[in-house]
Amino acid sequence: MTNPTHIDLRDYIRDVPDFPKPGIMFKDITPLLGSPHAFNATVDHLSRPFAGERGLKVAAIESRGFIFGAAVAQHLGAGFVPIRKPGKLPWKTHRSEYALEYGTDALEIHEDAMAPGDRVIVIDDVLATGGTASAAGELVRRLGAEVVAYSIVIELTFLNGRDRLGGTPVNVAIHY
Ligand code: AMP
């Protein structure tokens, strides 16, 4: 058994060219999810800066963000808040529209998912242009809560997505 902190997580990301449309190099996380070592090391990386902080909430973005977000929430002993695509959440919601690297979309959050003063970590799998993460952060702030940080598995640094996140700290496991 090797020390999980010594594995190169990049070895577990598969580049899939032209998915879901021409010109996109899709970062496939399924090899990482399939390795208990790599998955564990990733969850550890996403959680580590916040270990020991009390009263945090973890908000994650549908759908690949949920996989990591739920694990991080459990790791930190924090509540989990789903941020979902339109029409999926059953209760009253707030909505934020955003532009994707490939297309446009919107995100929703339950209006009672968090309260003023709550401190929130926002989780997703990939930070590309930053539109998704920024829309998620906007929803958190609309409920009066504070985005303490974004914690993201993969940052596509060359797309400068973090420039759209208003200086909020971004903790990243794998940079490209
Ligand atoms: P963006 O809003 O441009 O930062 O895009 C981030 C969202 O789109 C994340 O939720 C990702 O799941 C997805 N995404 C964008 N680009 C990629 C990519 N190259 N590979 C995998 N997922 C991506």
Side-chain angles (χ1 to χ4, degrees), residues 24-27 64 98-102 124-132 156:
I24 302 296
M25 180 64 81
F26 193 85
K27 297 297 185 191
R64 289 184 295 277
Y98 66 102
L100 260 186
E101 191 184 3
Y102 40 82
D124 203 3
D125 65 330
V126 174
L127 178 65
T129 67
T132 308
L156 305 181

Side-chain angles (χ1 to χ4, degrees), residues 1-22:
M1 190 103 158
T2 54
N3 181 340
T5 57
H6 289 160
I7 67 174
D8 188 349
L9 294 176
R10 229 175 294 242
D11 294 343
Y12 298 86
I13 303 299
R14 175 166 48 203
D15 281 354
V16 183
D18 300 320
F19 182 88
K21 68 177 203 188

